[in-house]
Amino acid sequence: MSVTLDTYRPLGGWVEKPDNPQPQLEAEVCADVIIVGAGFAGLSTALELAAHGAKVIVLEREFAGFGASGRNAGYLAGALGLEFDLFLKRVGREQAKKIVGFYDEGVAYVERKFGEYGIDCDYNASGIIRAGVHPSQEGKLREGMKTGIELGSPAQFLDQAEMRARGIPPAFLFGAYAQRGGTLDPGKYVMGLRRAALQAGVRVYENTALLSYAEGEIVKVQTARGSASAPFLVLATNAYTPQLGLLGGKVVPLRVSAIETEPLSEAQLAALGWPRREGIVTAHWTMESHRLTARNTLVLTTKRLHYVYGSQTPNVPDNAAYRELEVALHDRFPTLRDLAIRSCWSGYVSLAFDALPVVGETGAQRNVFYTAGCSGHGVGTQSLMGHLLAERIRGTEHPLLSALRHKTPSMLPEPLRWCAVNSALGMTNMLDGRVNRKVRAAAR
């Protein structure tokens, strides 16, 4: 069954509007720290600060988890997904080792927080497999795995026999297996952070968009019906940051899409195999991701990325992307060709040209902090970022935060940016399309 308008979910596939919506900001309030954005980064920063007695305000344009935190595929992954070719020569091997350490520490950090905050988010600590679907992908996959191991991120190559022994579906021929991490329900995770923040005394104002902010020793932010002041401001707004007048030349928002099937029957699950339910990402230039959820559905994401002129982020369906994902579903799982699509959705990640996080501070007082550029790996990285930013605000720079400081490549202004980004995306689509045609030809 094909994707239809009835299957599109403007809130994403993991969250609903909370049954205890927090009030809009409708007064003038003060705090020790103001955080804009109630996703993984914003809520984690708030929780870390509140644990040390800080008075924290969080402003959220919609509701907690509305953005990328509630729309992603739910992979808690370390450094396996890094594209070393984009940054290794620029930062050098020693700094690259520290960056890899940041990504892998993000996994351990989130796993600790499940217990600390009492969050049940269907976490399956299965590890992650980066898999090839055609023999031509093996060289690139092995090279990336080798570099990751040299930089301190352990992984194991699985040949075709080992993949079949693990019960991995046969479309995935070989893979690099990282034992750390796994899959989770990102909606349950972000809502668990929201619940913990409210219990910790963090004041969360939902349906409260930031209109402007004024720098100074005390930063003042303006919303439609109120204002807030604090010595520190944190913009945990990721893909939406350029619309606030910051990082417009450093990151671009890319629209990422997902489809979810109806639940598989017991017979379909048994025939599929996949007993450990490892999260699988492919070795395409624009990866596909494939996973089974706790509700026995299949979720597929990415496949096609889109950049909207002017770094805009309209919350609209992307029917072309959903059709491509449905083709990928049939290519990788031909026995499930009749499985209906339950829902589809889209959201935005932010990408720097070196695919590394963009974190730092700005303003004359250096008291306006920002974090963006998660490049689709935000579950672990942006959660850990909360800890690093909280320490920085309290006066200590963590070594992992220092490791992330580097010169992010600058981007061209519009309309050259639109041309450059979409040309690059078009090239990756062409290369991936060639691989997929080879796979279909071999299957025939």
Side-chain angles (χ1 to χ4, degrees):
M1 182 184 296
S2 297
V3 174
T4 67
L5 288 177
D6 293 337
T7 61
Y8 172 65
R9 284 184 51 86
L11 302 184
W14 305 100
V15 297
E16 302 288 350
K17 290 183 178 180
D19 55 13
N20 62 335
Q22 297 303 293
Q24 296 182 45
L25 177 60
E26 295 185 336
E28 186 172 337
V29 296
C30 297
D32 296 317
V33 183
I34 300 166
I35 298 170
V36 182
F40 300 142
L43 291 172
S44 295
T45 306
L47 281 161
E48 293 284 359
L49 290 166
H52 289 88
K55 184 179 178 182
V56 184
I57 287 171
V58 176
L59 306 180
E60 168 55 48
R61 187 175 68 180
E62 302 287 346
F63 59 85
F66 176 84
S69 295
R71 297 169 187 259
N72 66 81
Y75 285 67
L76 178 57
L80 184 68
L82 282 173
E83 297 293 345
F84 300 109
D85 290 345
L86 295 178
F87 67 86
L88 183 55
K89 290 182 179 179
R90 294 186 71 254
V91 305
R93 297 189 76 84
E94 289 308 309
Q95 186 172 3
K97 287 180 181 178
K98 296 174 184 177
I99 291 170
V100 164
F102 162 76
Y103 275 79
D104 285 342
E105 174 57 26
V107 174
Y109 176 85
V110 172
E111 289 176 336
R112 292 195 299 270
K113 295 303 170 179
F114 294 152
E116 184 176 335
Y117 302 142
I119 298 175
D120 180 0
C121 56
D122 302 325
Y123 179 51
N124 176 28
S126 60
I128 307 291
I129 297 176
R130 191 171 195 179
V133 299
H134 188 267
S136 62
Q137 296 176 316
E138 183 173 347
K140 176 175 179 283
L141 189 146
R142 281 186 178 273
E143 185 62 29
M145 187 187 78
K146 177 176 178 288
T147 302
I149 292 172
E150 291 172 351
L151 296 175
S153 185
Q156 172 190 358
F157 185 81
L158 302 176
D159 63 21
Q160 193 157 353
E162 290 167 316
M163 292 283 274
R164 301 293 80 78
R166 293 183 73 93
I168 302 300
F172 306 105
L173 305 180
F174 46 83
Y177 173 59
Q179 188 173 357
R180 292 173 178 167
T183 59
L184 49 75
D185 183 320
K188 290 182 178 180
Y189 175 47
V190 73
M191 287 302 175
L193 293 175
R194 177 184 183 272
R195 181 182 64 252
L198 293 174
Q199 291 173 347
V202 175
R203 286 185 289 171
V204 179
Y205 295 99
E206 294 178 314
N207 197 26
T208 301
L210 173 68
L211 299 182
S212 64
Y213 64 91
E215 299 174 1
E217 289 189 12
I218 299 296
V219 184
K220 185 167 185 176
V221 304
Q222 194 68 43
T223 68
R225 299 185 180 182
S227 63
S229 301
F232 298 98
L233 172 65
V234 178
L235 299 176
T237 42
N238 203 33
Y240 306 99
T241 309
Q243 296 169 27
L244 301 177
L246 191 65
L247 303 185
K250 298 297 182 182
V251 299
V252 292
L254 296 180
R255 186 163 65 224
V256 178
S257 297
I259 61 172
E260 181 178 11
T261 69
E262 291 288 355
L264 279 68
S265 68
E266 290 298 325
Q268 287 171 323
L269 286 168
L272 184 63
W274 209 349
R276 299 177 180 86
R277 301 187 176 214
E278 300 95 336
I280 296 175
V281 298
T282 65
H284 290 87
W285 290 99
T286 301
M287 72 175 190
E288 303 166 9
S289 76
H290 304 263
R291 59 163 294 197
L292 281 168
T293 71
R295 51 198 183 219
N296 292 331
T297 61
L298 273 168
V299 170
L300 282 70
T301 63
T302 312
K303 193 58 182 173
R304 285 291 184 269
L305 303 173
H306 287 113
Y307 171 67
V308 181
Y309 186 89
S311 294
Q312 294 304 300
T313 54
N315 189 30
V316 295
D318 192 334
N319 294 318
Y322 307 143
R323 286 192 295 270
E324 288 285 346
L325 285 166
E326 193 171 18
V327 170
L329 171 66
H330 297 158
D331 283 347
R332 311 300 169 232
F333 306 97
T335 62
L336 300 177
R337 186 170 292 273
D338 295 330
L339 190 62
I341 305 301
R342 173 182 186 172
S343 59
C344 55
W345 63 90
S346 299
Y348 293 87
V349 301
S350 67
L351 176 75
F353 274 3
D354 58 7
L356 289 179
V358 181
V359 58
E361 57 278 320
T362 188
Q365 307 297 321
R366 313 301 288 173
N367 58 350
V368 177
F369 296 86
Y370 53 82
T371 175
C374 68
S375 304
H377 302 288
V379 178
T381 62
Q382 295 302 299
S383 298
L384 176 58
M385 196 68 76
H387 173 61
L388 305 185
L389 289 177
E391 282 202 353
R392 179 65 182 81
I393 289 168
R394 294 175 55 236
T396 301
E397 172 128 345
H398 194 286
L400 289 177
L401 182 59
S402 298
L404 295 175
R405 294 188 183 275
H406 70 289
K407 186 176 181 180
T408 302
S410 296
M411 298 187 178
L412 297 168
E414 297 288 19
L416 296 177
R417 181 184 308 167
W418 185 90
C419 295
V421 173
N422 283 293
S423 294
L425 294 177
M427 178 62 69
T428 60
N429 290 342
M430 183 187 71
L431 294 171
D432 289 341
R434 183 181 301 166
V435 169
N436 290 333
R437 286 191 295 274
K438 291 178 180 178
V439 172
R440 292 182 198 119
R444 287 194 296 269

